[in-house]
Amino acid sequence: MKGDENKIGKVNLADAFSTISEAWSPRIAGDINDMQVKIAKFEGQFDWHHHEAEDELFLVIKGKLRMGLRDGDVDLEEGEMIIVPHGVEHRPESLSDECHVLMLEPATTLNTGTEQSARTISDPARL
């Protein structure tokens, strides 16, 4: 809702996720100070990466998620979340056909962290 600070609205997550057709393509659902709420569909494995300065929160809305970590994976069910601190190398992976994830992270966060690849999305679309 950036741009019209006086407008307050709601986001229906089921409706929002239904507008996303491509996996690993985050959408901005809203702004909170210098943070952004993003949603994305995950399918299969993402790439190993880390963020130099940004912590990330991942909340599983639908499906199952494995957060690959170099010192041991963490599996998440619907309604569970994990916070990945900055500097920690990680690799999200959907353990279901499709996993719907809500993320809270600084607006400066690049989805591939310090890595540049074909999966890098530097300017995610807004819902």
Side-chain angles (χ1 to χ4, degrees):
M1 295 222 194
K2 205 169 199 166
D4 188 358
E5 288 77 23
N6 295 326
K7 184 173 179 180
I8 298 175
K10 67 179 180 178
V11 174
N12 180 295
L13 291 176
D15 291 346
F17 278 109
S18 74
T19 68
I20 300 174
S21 59
E22 187 177 337
W24 307 112
S25 182
R27 301 288 191 274
I28 300 169
D31 299 279
I32 302 172
N33 299 318
D34 295 333
M35 305 287 286
Q36 288 183 327
V37 177
K38 296 177 184 174
I39 63 168
K41 290 181 178 178
F42 293 2
E43 291 179 11
Q45 278 185 350
F46 200 61
D47 305 326
W48 283 103
H49 67 283
H50 74 280
H51 305 274
E52 288 293 331
E54 301 96 351
D55 299 337
E56 294 179 289
L57 178 144
F58 295 83
L59 171 63
V60 178
I61 303 299
K62 179 182 174 188
K64 296 180 181 181
L65 172 69
R66 171 169 289 150
M67 186 58 67
L69 302 167
R70 294 296 188 187
D71 60 354
D73 299 341
V74 177
D75 292 346
L76 301 154
E77 303 277 338
E78 292 178 10
E80 295 182 325
M81 63 177 234
I82 188 170
I83 297 172
V84 178
H86 65 280
V88 173
E89 196 171 20
H90 58 286
R91 180 185 64 198
E93 175 183 359
S94 175
L95 295 179
S96 48
D97 289 337
E98 185 174 81
C99 185
H100 296 185
V101 179
L102 181 144
M103 295 159 287
L104 178 63
E105 56 196 18
T108 58
T109 304
L110 193 60
N111 68 322
T112 55
T114 59
E115 306 298 319
Q116 293 286 326
S117 73
R119 290 181 154 178
T120 301
I121 299 176
S122 57
D123 189 19
R126 290 185 173 272
L127 293 178

